[in-house]
């Protein structure tokens, strides 16, 4: 009798748990740091809009943020042609938008057509190459579509990770969602309210419909201190990206809230101005254009200290242009640049530099002194510069730190070239080297140390140009990687960019969230939103 | 010829910026060595006339027209610099209240020094002159006194300092604008005596401006009555008292019933000025305290 | 009151002496980074602990005091002198001049100064030593801080210009120039010294704000501004209260200055 009752209770509890799960309850809350500029997925250029697109948009293929491999989504399979110009998708059947409109190959065709149309001014069109009119879209059946672009595109399939398919039939246009959520309400300057898409196609292995969380409230909150306070109070469930100081602050209050997912894809780097006719003293340009000088400076910087002190160990000494977090493309043969002032000095001596009475002088007797500019108000960069100042002081180099507001900084490094060295960071949203074409090609706009060259000025820049072009014309990733590994080796050897650290991907996640698995790639904390659930729909912790 | 030219001959009209006429063709002459009393109520334009003579009426305070002649020389239209050189040397001014006319931030010595050096840039002269000036107004000429600030001396002493400053350069004409009305009656008497003495000793002509007919009558040779921007009556002191014609003068006279039977004569002004003055004069002076503000 | 004033003098002299002897008193330089002891609590080695980069806070406070206490008053003096000259001139000339200057001052105060300073910094050469950057910063503060005080000065001068003692001075034939210099200027001293005293802490704080824009004292040189900037987050303070020492010292010095200067005035 007693045993029977116990069994009954256990059964009851099990049933209740099941129903609770089946109800997929709860409201997840977190903050957007600005008002989303657009809800049109083809026009996204800011972080807030990107968040909304990630949560509401349905894509054909998706990069798994954890494995960094491409997975089928609305397309059950796809195939890229040998010449990397066209791609064919086989679409899933019987899929509907949040408003009930059916999803077919026509929607894919319409979306790609609009994205490539010059009058749309879609920021994504560039990645697919110019010549929108030449894009050829063939709808073979409601579930089959082939798109042919004007020119070969390396890594073509991965680019579709960002292309949310907009309905061509729905009267609600881009507000009809194919993704796990749809925009139910929006109050400008205050919040964006997302509701679970009842027609979302995905089901988990037990057959339950995803996503599990009923709604997401995105509060627009620019102030990070307030965001942190609300996290502490349990008013929000997650902070997607934290900086080191906030991370440690939150950790000291509640260590179970913070996640350090290891190095991110982003890097911090310093570089010298190598523009030949820059308004910089000729003898200094001579230093900056010497790879011995640049490499010696690189070796004289104690990267381990930068990572440990400036970022409280929430960063890793950078090895090269690609973060180790980029699992496929990182060149594993590269070794970290050793910190060795002795070797650095010997390398400088090869160029005729002499250390005398604590002052390094070049062959002509000029004391080695230069300025580094960085953006004002970024205390991590200011502190890195101050530490580099002391490091370089040890080999007799005097470094002057100048912090500038962002517009005048950009004007100096991109237009007037009126600077000596700069310290900034690179934010990498994607993984593919093709996204960095503009940075590595000597003709590129973002070839910061000496942009827009008519023809490569050095043999190593010429070699980078060749390797980057060669890899972009191949479709086999392994073959492409051979070329890109070479690029990474050259960059580390020639040190046009002196890579300092890769900041860690830091986030805060409430203990009431189940299934969270923060990663290095954006969006770090909610990339697997459809698998996340809440143990308590109301209060956090 | 010289004797026929008066020391000062004024014939001016003045109008405030708001269009109100302050002075309407006011004609006043002061002879050499003479004390002329200019009597009028507050608001009658007395101070405006004083400032007009000194060329200190600014554009802000109004417009002035007419003529001001000093020893036959026309002062109206002189350049500011020429006018400045006249001030303090030819014509000097003593204001009513030493409390506000002396600069509280400067020592007595410094103020005397400024007054002297305005017309004599030689630095070594001033101290001797300052001491002499203090002696001439019966003040101590000690270093201690020179080092005092206006807040550290009495009001009577302050008025004497003002007089010393004004008379350092022995001006031909001293304009005294209500110089005694801020003083108690004993000090008033002493200051009046001092004016008479300076007039005697240096032959300095004085234009003595006051609202108080009684006190004026004790030292002035002639009196002019200013009423509502016009000179309504003028004449020798005794004649005016004997036979005032204008109703306003009569009204003034009736307000101080114990009027001198005999106005002072030049000979006895020296020492027995006050001893001969009847009590009524003092009383009249006392009454004046209730309305001594002359519109500044 | 007298005791308080003595105390203020003692504080000021002690602070001045301490900062003058910074190199003797502090065991380490203001820039040396003890990288194994970052953000340390006070110890025998580091009396006020170390900052985020492991630099001795005590040394930074002493050197920073030397810079800020030395230069903020110089900048304040420059600003006050400009205010006296511009405000005094306009107030004395009066009329159209004063109205013109009031409009000018209002315009000047309306200008987006931070924005203009940013532009000014962007135009300065990059390779200036930290010491030069300090001088430029305080020089700019001094050159731009005159407008507020000038308005006060203009009003006082306008009142003094019409006062009886100035009339009396004119009546003895004093030149306008001497009147300004000998009669009006001495009476402005209390106003000017009050403005000066207001400006000193304002400039110390402005320097801190400019630092945020990259216009302040360049690393590694310390200043009160950069020390105060560390107090941005309340969080850091509760866990490390010794960081409040620079703020305490600043308040102590400013109050002492006010006490000492205020007393000079009344005795004058």
């Amino acid at each position: 009798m007693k045993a029977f009752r116990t069994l009954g209770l256990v059964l009851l509890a099990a049933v209740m748990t099941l129903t609770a799960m089946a109800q997929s309850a709860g409201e997840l809350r977190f903050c957007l740091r600005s008002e989303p500029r657009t809800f049109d997925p083809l026009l996204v250029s800011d972080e807030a809009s990107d968040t909304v697109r990630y949560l509401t948009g349905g894509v054909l293929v998706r990069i798994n943020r954890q494995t960094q491999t491409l997975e089928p989504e609305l397309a059950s399979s796809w195939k890229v042609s040998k010449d990397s110009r066209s791609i064919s998708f086989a679409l899933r059947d019987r899929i509907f938008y949040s408003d009930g409109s059916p999803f077919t190959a026509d929607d894919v065709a319409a979306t790609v057509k609009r994205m490539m149309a010059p009058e749309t001014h879609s920021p994504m069109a560039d990645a697919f190459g110019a010549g929108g009119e030449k894009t050829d879209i063939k709808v073979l059946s409601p579930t089959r579509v082939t798109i042919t672009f004007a020119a070969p595109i390396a890594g073509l399939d991965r680019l579709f990770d960002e292309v949310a398919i907009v309905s061509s039939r729905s009267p609600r246009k881009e507000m009809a969602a194919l993704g796990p959520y749809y925009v139910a309400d929006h109050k400008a300057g205050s919040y964006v309210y997302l509701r679970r898409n009842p027609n979302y196609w995905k089901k988990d292995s037990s057959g339950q419909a995803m996503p599990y969380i009923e709604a997401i409230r995105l509060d627009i909150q620019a102030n990070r201190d307030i965001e942190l306070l609300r996290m502490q109070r349990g008013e929000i469930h997650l902070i997607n990206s934290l900086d080191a100081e906030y991370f440690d602050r939150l950790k000291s209050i509640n260590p179970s809230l913070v996640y350090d997912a290891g190095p991110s894809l982003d890097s911090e780097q310093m570089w010298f101005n190598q523009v030949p006719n820059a308004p910089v003293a000729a003898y200094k340009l001579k230093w900056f254009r010497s790879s011995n000088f640049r490499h010696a400076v690189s070796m004289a910087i104690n990267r381990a200290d930068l990572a440990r002190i400036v970022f409280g160990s929430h960063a890793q000494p950078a090895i090269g242009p690609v973060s180790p977090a980029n699992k496929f493309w990182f060149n594993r043969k590269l070794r970290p640049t050793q910190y060795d002032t002795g070797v650095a000095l010997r390398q400088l001596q090869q160029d005729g530099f002499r250390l005398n009475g604590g002052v390094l002088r070049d062959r002509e007797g000029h004391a080695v002194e230069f300025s580094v500019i960085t953006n004002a108000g970024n205390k991590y960069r200011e502190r890195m510069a101050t530490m580099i100042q002391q490091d370089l002081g040890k080999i007799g180099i005097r470094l002057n730190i100048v912090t500038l507001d962002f517009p005048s900084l950009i004007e100096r490094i991109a237009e007037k070239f009126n600077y000596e060295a700069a310290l900034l960071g690179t934010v990498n949203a994607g993984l593919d080297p093709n996204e960095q074409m503009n940075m590595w090609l000597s003709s590129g706009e973002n070839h910061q140390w000496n942009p827009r060259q008519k023809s490569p000025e050095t043999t190593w820049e010429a070699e980078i140009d060749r390797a980057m072009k060669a890899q972009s014309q191949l479709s086999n990733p392994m073959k492409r990687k051979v070329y890109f590994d070479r690029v990474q080796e050259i960059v580390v050897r020639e040190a046009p960019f002196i890579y300092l650290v890769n900041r860690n991907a830091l986030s805060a996640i409430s203990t009431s969230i189940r299934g969270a698995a923060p990663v290095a790639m954006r969006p770090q904390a909610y990339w697997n939103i459809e698998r996340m659930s809440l143990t308590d729909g109301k209060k956090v912790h | 010829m010289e004797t026929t030219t008066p020391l000062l001959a004024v014939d001016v009209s003045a109008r405030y910026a708001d269009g109100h006429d302050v002075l309407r063709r006011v004609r006043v002459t002061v002879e050499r060595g003479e004390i002329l009393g200019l009597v009028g109520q507050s608001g009658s334009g007395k101070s405006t006339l004083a400032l007009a003579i000194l060329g200190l009426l600014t554009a802000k305070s109004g417009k002035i027209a007419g003529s001001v002649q000093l020893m036959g020389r026309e002062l109206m239209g002189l350049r500011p610099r020429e006018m400045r050189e006249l001030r303090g040397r030819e014509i000097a001014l003593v204001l009513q209240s030493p409390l506000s006319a002396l600069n509280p931030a400067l020592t007595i010595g410094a103020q005397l020094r400024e007054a002297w050096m305005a017309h004599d840039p030689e630095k070594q002269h001033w101290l001797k002159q300052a001491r002499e000036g203090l002696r001439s107004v019966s003040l101590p000429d000690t270093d201690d006194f020179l080092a005092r600030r206006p807040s550290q001396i009495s009001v009577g002493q302050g008025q004497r300092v003002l007089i010393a400053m004004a008379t350092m350069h022995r001006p031909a004409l001293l304009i005294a604008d209500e110089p005694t009305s801020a003083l108690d009656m004993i000090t008033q008497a002493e200051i009046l005596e001092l004016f008479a003495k300076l007039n005697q000793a240096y032959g300095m002509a004085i234009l003595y401006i006051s609202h108080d007919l009684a006190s004026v009558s004790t030292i002035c040779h002639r009196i002019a009555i200013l009423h509502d921007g016009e000179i309504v009556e003028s004449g020798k002191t005794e004649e005016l008292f004997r036979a005032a014609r204008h109703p306003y003068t009569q009204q003034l006279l009736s307000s101080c019933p114990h009027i001198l039977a005999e106005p002072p004569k030049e000979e006895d002004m020296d020492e027995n000025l006050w001893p001969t003055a009847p009590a009524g004069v003092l009383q009249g002076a006392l009454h004046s305290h209730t309305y001594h503000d002359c519109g500044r | 009151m007298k005791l308080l004033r003595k105390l203020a003098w003692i504080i000021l002299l002690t602070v001045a002496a301490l900062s003058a002897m910074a190199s003797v008193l502090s065991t380490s330089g203001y820039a040396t980074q003890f990288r194994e002891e970052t953000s340390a609590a006070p110890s025998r080695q580091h009396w006020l602990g170390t900052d985020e980069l492991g630099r001795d806070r005590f040394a930074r406070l002493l050197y920073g005091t030397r810079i800020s206490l030395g230069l903020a008053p110089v900048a304040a003096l420059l600003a006050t002198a400009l205010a006296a000259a511009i405000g005094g001139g306009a107030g004395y000339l009066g009329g159209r001049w004063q109205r013109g200057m009031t409009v000018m001052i209002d315009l000047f105060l309306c200008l987006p100064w931070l924005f203009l300073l940013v532009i000014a910094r962007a135009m300065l050469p990059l390779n200036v030593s930290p010491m030069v950057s300090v001088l430029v910063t305080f020089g700019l503060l001094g050159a731009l801080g005159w407008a507020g005080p000038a308005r006060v000065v203009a009003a006082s001068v306008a009142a003094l210009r019409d006062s009886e003692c100035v009339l009396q001075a004119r009546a003895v034939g004093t030149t306008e120039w001497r009147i300004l210099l000998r009669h009006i200027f001495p009476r402005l001293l209390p106003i000017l010294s009050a403005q000066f005293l207001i400006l000193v802490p304002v400039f110390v704080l402005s320097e801190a704000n400019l630092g945020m824009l990259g216009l302040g004292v360049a690393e590694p040189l310390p200043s009160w501004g950069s020390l105060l900037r560390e107090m941005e987050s309340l969080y850091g303070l509760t866990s490390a209260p010794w960081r409040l020492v620079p703020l305490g010292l600043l308040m102590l010095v400013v109050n002492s200055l006010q006490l000492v200067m205020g007393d000079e005035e009344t005795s004058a």
Side-chain angles (χ1 to χ4, degrees):
Chain A
M1 181 67 190
K2 201 178 171 188
F4 187 72
R5 233 162 62 187
T6 314
L7 184 68
L9 278 173
V10 169
L11 273 174
L12 189 67
V15 168
M16 281 173 75
T17 319
L18 278 172
T19 48
M21 281 180 75
Q23 275 172 354
S24 53
E27 176 188 300
L28 179 80
R29 288 183 295 269
F30 64 99
C31 295
L32 295 177
R33 281 166 187 167
S34 65
E35 175 82 20
R37 282 196 209 139
T38 178
F39 287 134
D40 184 341
L42 297 183
L43 297 179
V44 169
S45 62
D46 59 302
E47 201 186 326
S49 306
D50 193 31
T51 298
V52 175
R53 178 175 66 183
Y54 190 88
L55 295 171
T56 61
V59 291
L60 300 175
V61 290
R62 174 125 275 168
I63 296 168
N64 181 317
R65 265 45 177 182
Q66 198 164 39
T67 62
Q68 297 180 0
T69 54
L70 199 61
E71 292 176 349
E73 197 84 353
L74 293 170
S76 52
S77 68
W78 66 95
K79 191 169 166 38
V80 179
S81 68
K82 270 242 162 96
D83 64 359
S84 301
R85 276 186 62 203
S86 55
I87 186 165
S88 304
F89 292 103
L91 308 180
R92 288 180 206 274
D93 205 0
R94 303 188 56 76
I95 287 179
F96 299 92
Y97 282 89
S98 56
D99 68 340
S101 322
F103 161 73
T104 67
D106 290 335
D107 299 321
V108 177
T111 301
V112 173
K113 195 175 171 196
R114 187 160 73 90
M115 176 177 77
M116 295 308 288
E119 63 270 21
T120 309
H121 299 292
S122 169
M124 290 137 68
D126 273 352
F128 289 95
E133 314 81 47
K134 291 176 193 152
T135 311
D136 180 46
I137 307 166
K138 282 201 175 71
V139 175
L140 308 169
S141 79
T143 58
R144 301 197 73 84
V145 61
T146 299
I147 307 158
T148 306
F149 292 94
I153 299 164
L156 175 59
D157 47 0
R158 289 184 159 252
L159 292 176
F160 280 88
D161 173 74
E162 286 200 323
V163 184
I165 306 300
V166 179
S167 171
S168 56
R169 294 183 193 86
S170 167
R172 301 202 62 222
K173 289 181 179 170
E174 71 263 12
M175 299 311 282
L178 266 185
Y181 293 90
Y182 69 94
V183 178
D185 192 10
H186 170 223
K187 191 159 178 253
S190 179
Y191 63 86
V192 179
Y193 199 79
L194 308 181
R195 273 192 188 286
R196 185 174 173 278
N197 176 1
N199 298 331
Y200 191 54
W201 60 279
K202 229 185 261 184
K203 289 185 167 55
D204 64 14
S205 49
S206 66
Q208 196 193 335
M210 297 203 284
Y212 304 137
I213 296 171
E214 188 60 39
I216 302 176
R217 185 187 166 92
L218 301 167
D219 282 321
I220 294 156
Q221 176 56 263
N223 185 316
R224 301 200 170 188
D225 284 295
I226 295 176
E227 188 183 19
L228 196 76
L229 203 68
R230 296 189 64 191
M231 184 75 202
Q232 282 174 37
R233 288 194 194 138
E235 292 169 12
I236 56 172
H237 293 87
L238 65 86
I239 300 176
N240 190 47
S241 163
L242 278 170
D243 71 6
E245 199 178 285
Y246 285 86
F247 182 93
D248 283 339
R249 204 196 292 182
L250 199 54
K251 190 180 175 185
S252 72
I253 295 161
N254 189 347
S256 62
L257 292 181
V258 291
Y259 282 84
D260 183 340
S264 68
L265 298 169
D266 304 340
S267 57
E268 297 289 321
Q269 72 262 33
M270 176 179 150
W271 73 91
F272 290 103
N273 181 358
Q274 295 188 50
V275 177
N277 54 355
V280 173
Y283 66 89
K284 286 191 178 180
L285 266 183
K286 213 164 124 192
W287 308 336
F288 302 156
R289 287 172 69 93
S290 152
S291 66
N292 270 336
F293 179 83
R294 295 191 301 266
H295 199 257
V297 167
S298 176
M299 277 200 297
I301 295 170
N302 190 336
R303 291 176 174 76
D305 276 1
L306 293 183
R308 181 171 58 87
I309 294 170
V310 176
F311 295 95
S313 297
H314 299 301
Q316 308 301 320
I319 294 168
V322 177
S323 166
N326 192 338
K327 291 175 185 174
F328 179 76
W329 293 102
F330 172 66
N331 182 346
R332 292 189 189 281
K333 276 177 279 174
L334 290 177
R335 291 289 151 254
T337 306
Q338 53 174 338
Y339 166 62
D340 193 329
T341 48
V343 177
L345 271 174
R346 246 169 286 147
Q347 201 159 15
L348 284 166
Q349 277 161 8
Q350 287 175 15
D351 271 18
F353 289 93
R354 292 284 174 276
L355 181 63
N356 212 328
V359 178
L360 187 73
R361 289 180 189 281
D362 68 6
R363 198 173 269 142
E364 288 127 47
H366 301 292
V368 180
E369 175 184 359
F370 59 84
S371 61
V372 63
I373 57 176
T374 188
N375 55 319
N378 184 321
K379 61 177 119 173
Y380 300 101
R381 292 197 182 128
E382 284 175 28
R383 285 180 191 159
M384 279 198 287
T386 309
M387 292 191 73
I388 293 170
Q389 186 179 48
Q390 176 157 319
D391 285 343
L392 296 186
K394 287 182 189 153
I395 57 168
I397 294 176
R398 203 162 120 183
L399 180 67
N400 295 315
I401 300 165
V402 181
T403 53
L404 295 172
D405 64 304
F406 222 84
S408 47
L409 183 86
I410 296 302
E411 188 190 24
R412 276 177 189 270
I413 63 175
E415 286 168 39
K416 304 255 171 79
F417 308 119
N418 184 9
Y419 72 102
E420 294 174 348
L423 196 166
L424 280 177
T426 305
V427 171
N428 289 312
L431 303 166
D432 199 281
N434 273 344
E435 293 175 25
Q436 299 179 346
M437 214 59 164
N438 209 354
M439 182 157 96
W440 298 121
L441 291 184
S442 60
S443 56
E445 285 285 332
N446 298 335
H447 194 71
Q448 292 304 352
W449 65 87
N450 189 4
R452 302 193 289 268
Q453 298 173 38
K454 292 212 170 63
S455 60
E457 286 178 17
T458 61
T459 49
W460 56 268
E461 280 172 294
E463 199 184 341
I464 292 176
D465 281 5
R466 280 195 301 275
M468 286 306 290
K469 279 174 188 155
Q471 67 81 27
S472 73
Q473 281 149 13
L474 295 171
S475 54
N476 182 337
M478 292 313 287
K479 285 182 183 162
R480 289 178 61 204
K481 188 168 188 308
V482 173
Y483 286 106
F484 194 58
D485 278 356
R486 180 73 192 134
V487 170
Q488 295 176 56
E489 282 159 30
I490 297 168
V491 170
V492 170
R493 190 190 73 215
E494 299 291 334
F497 280 140
I498 297 172
Y499 286 92
L500 302 169
V501 296
N502 297 115
R503 281 179 284 133
N504 286 5
L506 307 174
S507 50
I509 292 170
S510 160
T511 46
S512 59
I513 294 184
R514 289 260 172 81
V519 294
M521 223 183 142
R522 286 183 179 75
Q524 302 91 329
Y526 58 87
W527 67 275
N528 56 343
I529 185 73
E530 55 197 21
R531 295 187 176 277
M532 283 158 66
S533 60
L534 289 171
T535 52
D536 175 357
K538 279 180 188 147
K539 211 52 179 162
V540 198
H541 307 327
Chain B
M1 271 308 283
E2 235 189 23
T3 46
T4 57
T5 336
L7 176 68
L8 179 76
V10 181
D11 179 357
V12 290
S13 300
R15 175 177 287 185
Y16 279 149
D18 62 11
H20 168 67
D21 286 322
V22 203
L23 301 174
R24 280 190 294 272
R25 293 223 61 176
V26 169
R27 267 170 286 192
V28 172
T29 54
V30 181
E31 300 296 337
R32 287 180 174 75
E34 180 192 36
I35 306 183
L36 173 71
L38 184 67
V39 178
Q41 271 180 324
S42 59
S44 61
K46 305 182 305 260
S47 297
T48 307
L49 183 63
L51 294 181
I53 295 167
L54 284 157
L56 288 175
L57 266 188
T58 51
K60 191 189 86 179
S61 44
K63 275 204 173 135
I64 184 156
S67 140
V68 176
Q69 291 191 351
L70 185 73
M71 291 178 278
R73 183 185 182 198
E74 180 57 55
L75 303 188
M76 298 279 288
L78 279 188
R79 278 185 301 192
R81 196 189 145 158
E82 293 169 319
M83 200 60 218
R84 181 195 73 74
E85 280 169 358
L86 280 177
R87 289 198 290 265
R89 194 149 68 181
E90 303 290 341
I91 316 172
L93 176 71
V94 174
L95 288 173
Q96 172 186 358
S97 166
L99 289 175
S100 54
L102 285 173
N103 191 328
L106 296 181
T107 61
I108 305 303
Q111 311 207 30
L112 288 166
R113 179 169 179 262
E114 287 303 310
W116 180 258
M117 286 181 53
H119 299 291
D120 178 10
E122 290 295 316
K123 280 186 180 160
Q124 52 269 44
H125 295 166
W126 79 270
L127 187 60
K128 189 172 147 272
Q129 296 295 334
R131 289 190 205 280
E132 201 183 304
L134 288 175
R135 281 197 300 276
S136 74
V137 294
S138 310
L139 282 174
D141 61 352
T142 58
D143 288 346
D144 168 64
F145 191 79
L146 286 170
R148 287 196 200 171
R149 284 175 197 274
S151 58
Q152 294 166 309
I153 60 175
S154 73
V155 184
Q157 284 176 320
Q159 195 57 275
R160 283 167 193 271
V161 170
L162 282 180
I163 295 167
M165 274 169 67
T167 56
M168 271 177 118
H169 292 280
R170 303 276 174 272
L173 174 65
L174 181 68
I175 302 174
D177 189 359
E178 301 267 7
T180 59
S181 48
L183 309 174
D184 67 74
M185 61 184 189
I186 303 288
T187 321
Q188 248 188 36
E190 287 169 6
I191 295 294
L192 279 172
E193 189 182 0
L194 177 60
F195 276 120
K197 195 183 103 186
L198 290 169
N199 170 254
Q200 280 266 305
Y202 308 126
M204 194 184 291
I206 300 174
L207 176 59
Y208 191 96
I209 298 173
S210 177
H211 64 274
D212 179 13
L213 185 57
S215 77
V216 169
S217 64
T218 59
I219 60 164
C220 295
H221 307 122
R222 279 198 308 133
I223 291 178
I225 308 289
L226 185 63
H227 177 55
D228 203 14
E230 281 174 294
I231 299 288
V232 293
E233 190 157 12
S234 71
K236 291 213 165 130
T237 309
E238 65 266 40
E239 282 170 11
L240 192 90
F241 275 79
R242 207 173 297 136
R245 278 162 301 173
H246 194 275
Y248 178 68
T249 318
Q250 286 160 355
Q251 189 194 329
L252 274 182
L253 286 170
S254 65
S255 70
C256 38
H258 312 285
I259 259 348
L260 275 181
E262 285 178 36
K265 291 187 178 73
E266 279 189 39
E267 308 86 80
D268 57 24
M269 234 190 274
D270 188 5
E271 40 208 87
N272 56 358
L273 174 68
W274 268 112
T276 59
V281 175
L282 289 173
Q283 264 178 0
L286 207 57
H287 290 318
S288 73
H289 271 286
T290 51
Y291 55 102
H292 70 79
D293 180 24
C294 57
R296 271 196 306 268
Chain C
M1 185 61 209
K2 230 180 175 178
L3 187 78
L4 217 60
R5 194 180 135 207
K6 261 186 199 160
L7 200 71
W9 270 113
I10 291 170
I11 290 169
L12 282 183
L13 291 175
T14 313
V15 169
L18 281 176
S19 61
M21 294 190 298
S23 47
V24 187
L25 282 168
S26 56
T27 47
S28 49
Y30 58 82
T32 317
Q33 296 164 5
F34 296 93
R35 294 186 178 177
E36 303 310 311
E37 303 170 75
T38 55
S39 303
S43 64
R44 194 176 294 171
Q45 187 99 43
H46 306 293
W47 294 357
L48 288 177
T50 59
D51 70 3
E52 285 80 359
L53 296 181
R55 298 177 295 194
D56 186 271
R57 279 183 195 280
F58 183 64
R60 289 184 73 71
L61 181 59
L62 291 187
Y63 282 99
T65 302
R66 189 195 271 186
I67 286 166
S68 294
L69 201 57
L71 290 176
V74 173
L77 205 64
L78 176 66
T80 316
L82 283 172
I86 298 171
Y92 193 69
L93 293 169
R96 230 171 277 160
W97 286 95
Q98 195 178 350
R99 280 194 297 278
M101 199 215 53
T102 311
V103 169
M104 202 173 96
I105 287 176
D106 287 342
L107 269 175
F108 197 85
L109 289 173
C110 285
L111 287 176
W113 277 113
L114 284 181
F115 180 69
L116 292 179
L117 279 169
V118 165
I119 293 176
R121 178 62 190 96
M123 290 191 301
L124 284 174
L126 293 177
N127 250 316
V128 292
S129 72
M131 202 57 220
V132 173
S133 78
V134 173
L135 293 175
V136 167
T137 303
F138 281 101
L140 274 175
L141 287 176
L144 300 176
W146 61 271
R151 190 146 56 174
V152 181
V153 170
S156 326
V157 171
L160 285 173
R161 179 194 61 204
D162 296 332
S163 73
E164 283 212 357
C165 70
V166 168
L167 181 65
Q168 183 74 57
R170 284 212 183 95
V172 299
T174 313
T175 58
E176 297 298 302
W177 190 240
R178 292 287 290 180
I179 285 173
L180 255 179
L181 202 70
R182 296 290 293 149
H183 286 274
I184 291 182
F185 180 69
R187 297 185 69 179
L188 287 180
L189 280 177
I191 296 161
L192 292 176
S193 74
Q195 293 299 322
F196 170 81
L197 277 175
I198 293 168
L199 286 177
V200 170
V202 166
F203 282 176
V204 168
L205 295 177
S206 306
E207 186 265 313
N209 286 330
L210 289 182
M212 311 277 275
L213 292 169
L215 293 159
V217 175
E219 291 279 9
L221 221 55
S223 69
W224 276 351
S226 59
L227 295 171
L228 290 178
R229 233 192 308 159
E230 285 187 8
M231 286 189 279
E232 276 173 306
S233 69
L234 197 67
Y235 162 78
L237 291 179
T238 47
S239 63
W242 57 88
R243 290 186 182 189
L244 278 166
V245 171
L247 181 67
L249 189 78
L250 172 65
M251 276 165 33
L252 202 65
V253 165
V254 170
N255 280 329
S256 302
L257 262 175
Q258 250 151 9
L259 234 104
V260 167
M261 301 276 271
D263 228 76
E264 292 284 288
E265 258 163 52
T266 48
S267 73

